[in-house]
Amino acid sequence: MAGSTSVQPQFIVSTGNRSFSNAPLIDNSDTDQIVVPDKKSWKNLFAYMGPGFLVSIAYIDPGNFETDLQSGAEYKYELLWIILVASCAALIIQSLAANLGVVTGKHLAEHCRIEYPRVPNFILWILAEIAIVACDIPEVIGTAFALNMLFKIPVWIGVLLTGLSTLVLLALQQYGVRKLEFLIAFLVSTITTCFFVELAYAKPSASEVLYGLFVPQLKGHGAAGLAISLLGAMVMPHNLFLHSALVLSRKVPRSIPGIKEACRFYLIESAFALTLAFFINVSVISVSGAVCNSSNLNPEDQSNCKDLDLNKASFLLKNVLGRWSSKLFAVALLASGQSSTITGTYAGQYVMQGFLDLRLAPWIRNFLTRCLAIVPSLIVALISGSAGAGELIIIASMILSFELPFALIPLLKFTSCKAKMGIHANSTVISAVTWIIGSLIMSINIYYLSTGLINILLHGHLKVVAIVFLGIFGFLAFALYLAAIAYLVFRKNKVGFI
């Protein structure tokens, strides 16, 4: 890649006041950028490589591994279609996030600060921070599981040690973020290769896998909740903020052809990265589904499959790695969690800078987020052990799905707005497709919330007083959720800048 020599990379310099000059941040000379040649050439693709792959790390983090393993163990290949739909939706949505940054020179959080009044803007910031913490919980637990497999450290102690791992990671960044990312990518690719090879041993039925990919079905108790977890683990709110900001690390030619080329190459790069992540997730589900639904499992493996989590999943790779399966799986899980920490750090910095025009030192920002994620993880690990910690990953993924509309709706409205995007605004077809995707995601969330609340009230064996209070507060919270979504959908955009 063409490049810059600076180690510290892509954090954007704050504008310093709330008047928000219409001059896009991409023209800021203080921003360390990779300069793309002002000439049309396929070789320019290499200059654009990077942001999409960094974003795709979030699609193979411990949260994804946990939900993939459970869906395969419990429902075999029945939920593969969720991965396909979520991957296609993610590609479209992530490309819109990249387009927003390329065309306007401002990332999504900055647009929210410009667009919305102070109170809605503050609420959106709080929700974005909650999403980042929810994303960090699987990384905390995944790291704790990895330490448990490597050194037999209790999970709750491993949770505490993840705070130190953050400081170690940040200390290593002084040797160059890209070198660290390449190392992590190598370690994660090792376990990916193992799952691909394990496919040859597990021999999942090709017809069943294809059926699961292309025929939607939600059978059995808990399938809807796990589907929402898969969706939340695949399409994450903080990734939209992150992608729209990372593209600003390239100084794109400001001509119409230059902007179109940048959008096209970012789409190609994202497609390649997310396709790789898609096959990784499919392979994990297929291996889990084939092994755990095999007729010749020994009693120990049958027990593991009934309550499968990251701490027990290494037995799936015994055919490939033998007695080393636990250690190498732990190393890759550790690498997966730490690589996701990098994306969380970047996303948190951009979110805080964009919404509040405020910056913290990266190590402070990362350490605060990690501490907020450690608290619920530690409580659950102490009370319920590794099984409860695994369930917390699923809950965190569900939270990400419920929060997705509060990043997705502003993105769809901004990229469809000709006042902001000019001739690069979404076409009618793209707008229709993206709004259908957004509507489906919101409908699934609303359906799950409403049916879940009703089931608790009708079948929860609660006292009458508890039912009344839970019903009142539950329906008020549900109404508030719907009202917030309606506000974002129907509020008219301000006149933007071109």
Side-chain angles (χ1 to χ4, degrees):
M1 289 187 194
S4 107
T5 57
S6 175
V7 171
Q8 287 303 330
Q10 313 183 53
F11 289 136
I12 296 173
V13 177
S14 173
T15 57
N17 64 67
R18 196 170 170 89
S19 62
F20 311 114
S21 166
N22 284 343
L25 285 183
I26 202 164
D27 291 329
N28 190 335
S29 60
D30 293 331
T31 303
D32 187 9
Q33 295 175 315
I34 294 174
V35 178
V36 179
D38 191 5
K39 60 179 181 179
K40 294 189 68 174
S41 172
W42 64 269
K43 294 180 181 178
N44 288 348
L45 174 62
F46 296 104
Y48 290 109
M49 298 289 279
F53 282 91
L54 189 58
V55 167
S56 71
I57 289 174
Y59 293 82
I60 51 172
D61 71 348
N64 287 91
F65 284 148
E66 175 77 21
T67 51
D68 290 348
L69 291 167
Q70 288 202 12
S71 63
E74 294 181 29
Y75 301 101
K76 205 172 182 180
Y77 316 122
E78 291 180 9
L79 298 182
L80 280 173
W81 66 275
I82 293 287
I83 300 296
L84 178 61
V85 171
S87 296
C88 293
L91 176 59
I92 296 172
I93 293 169
Q94 294 293 164
S95 67
L96 294 186
N99 291 352
L100 181 68
V102 169
V103 174
T104 67
K106 292 182 182 290
H107 56 81
L108 180 57
E110 289 179 308
H111 278 286
C112 289
R113 183 178 58 172
I114 295 170
E115 180 68 32
Y116 298 110
R118 286 181 181 272
V119 173
N121 178 72
F122 184 78
I123 293 173
L124 287 174
W125 170 67
I126 293 294
L127 292 173
E129 294 289 357
I130 292 174
I132 292 171
V133 172
C135 183
D136 203 45
I137 286 175
E139 295 155 18
V140 168
I141 296 174
T143 301
F145 283 163
L147 294 174
N148 176 260
M149 285 184 273
L150 287 170
F151 308 112
K152 305 301 181 185
I153 297 174
V155 173
W156 69 271
I157 295 178
V159 168
L160 289 175
L161 291 177
T162 57
L164 296 177
S165 74
T166 300
L167 296 179
V168 172
L169 178 70
L170 290 167
L172 290 175
Q173 288 187 23
Q174 65 180 314
Y175 298 104
V177 173
R178 288 201 181 279
K179 291 179 182 177
L180 183 61
E181 289 172 359
F182 280 128
L183 173 62
I184 290 171
F186 171 76
L187 293 172
V188 175
S189 66
T190 301
I191 201 69
T192 301
T193 302
C194 292
F195 270 106
F196 283 147
V197 174
E198 178 69 15
L199 281 174
Y201 287 91
K203 295 180 180 178
S205 169
S207 60
E208 289 184 33
V209 170
L210 290 174
Y211 187 85
L213 275 172
F214 296 104
V215 180
Q217 49 190 322
L218 286 174
K219 299 177 183 177
H221 178 71
L226 196 51
I228 289 176
S229 298
L230 283 169
L231 188 63
M234 289 293 292
V235 189
M236 299 184 183
H238 77 284
N239 256 2
L240 305 185
F241 296 106
L242 178 64
H243 205 171
S244 66
L246 287 176
V247 297
L248 299 179
S249 62
R250 273 63 175 173
K251 189 171 181 61
V252 176
R254 301 313 296 169
S255 61
I256 291 176
I259 291 175
K260 286 185 176 180
E261 181 186 70
C263 293
R264 181 172 67 253
F265 282 152
Y266 276 130
L267 175 62
I268 293 171
E269 184 225 9
S270 297
F272 184 80
L274 294 181
T275 298
L276 180 61
F278 165 75
F279 283 117
I280 292 171
N281 284 287
V282 168
S283 69
V284 174
I285 292 177
S286 298
V287 168
S288 175
V291 172
C292 287
N293 290 277
S294 174
S295 57
N296 56 356
L297 277 181
N298 60 51
E300 182 183 356
D301 289 346
Q302 286 180 354
S303 175
N304 287 333
C305 284
K306 287 181 181 178
D307 190 22
L308 187 60
D309 58 32
L310 291 172
N311 210 22
K312 303 174 183 176
S314 60
F315 81 93
L316 297 172
L317 301 176
K318 283 182 181 178
N319 288 328
V320 181
L321 301 174
R323 62 189 182 89
W324 288 97
S325 60
S326 175
K327 302 301 182 185
L328 290 183
F329 181 81
V331 169
L333 185 59
L334 187 65
S336 174
Q338 295 309 303
S339 61
S340 299
T341 297
I342 295 176
T343 64
T345 302
Y346 285 171
Q349 188 68 30
Y350 289 130
V351 162
M352 183 170 287
Q353 177 267 326
F355 279 108
L356 303 182
D357 195 20
L358 176 66
R359 283 199 55 184
L360 291 177
W363 72 271
I364 297 177
R365 164 77 229 185
N366 198 324
F367 195 67
L368 287 175
T369 302
R370 181 53 55 94
C371 287
L372 290 173
I374 282 175
V375 172
S377 303
L378 180 62
I379 293 173
V380 171
L382 284 171
I383 296 175
S384 304
S386 62
E391 287 297 319
L392 184 59
I393 292 179
I394 302 297
I395 294 172
S397 297
M398 293 175 69
I399 291 173
L400 290 172
S401 180
F402 295 140
E403 288 211 14
L404 183 59
F406 300 105
L408 179 58
I409 294 173
L411 176 65
L412 298 185
K413 294 192 71 174
F414 296 160
T415 54
S416 299
C417 178
K418 290 188 177 180
K420 294 181 183 293
M421 299 287 287
I423 64 171
H424 307 285
N426 297 339
S427 65
T428 303
V429 173
I430 294 296
S431 293
V433 170
T434 51
W435 277 106
I436 289 172
I437 292 171
S439 299
L440 287 174
I441 292 172
M442 288 181 278
S443 298
I444 293 172
N445 290 341
I446 291 169
Y447 169 79
Y448 185 80
L449 285 173
S450 58
T451 55
L453 179 60
I454 292 172
N455 285 335
I456 291 174
L457 294 178
L458 295 181
H459 309 294
H461 305 292
L462 302 174
K463 294 182 179 179
V464 176
V465 175
I467 291 175
V468 171
F469 277 99
L470 182 60
I472 292 174
F473 287 110
F475 281 109
L476 282 176
F478 185 63
L480 186 61
Y481 182 76
L482 293 178
I485 291 176
Y487 171 80
L488 293 176
V489 170
F490 295 109
R491 183 186 181 277
K492 289 185 178 181
N493 287 335
K494 291 181 180 178
V495 176
F497 62 91
I498 305 299

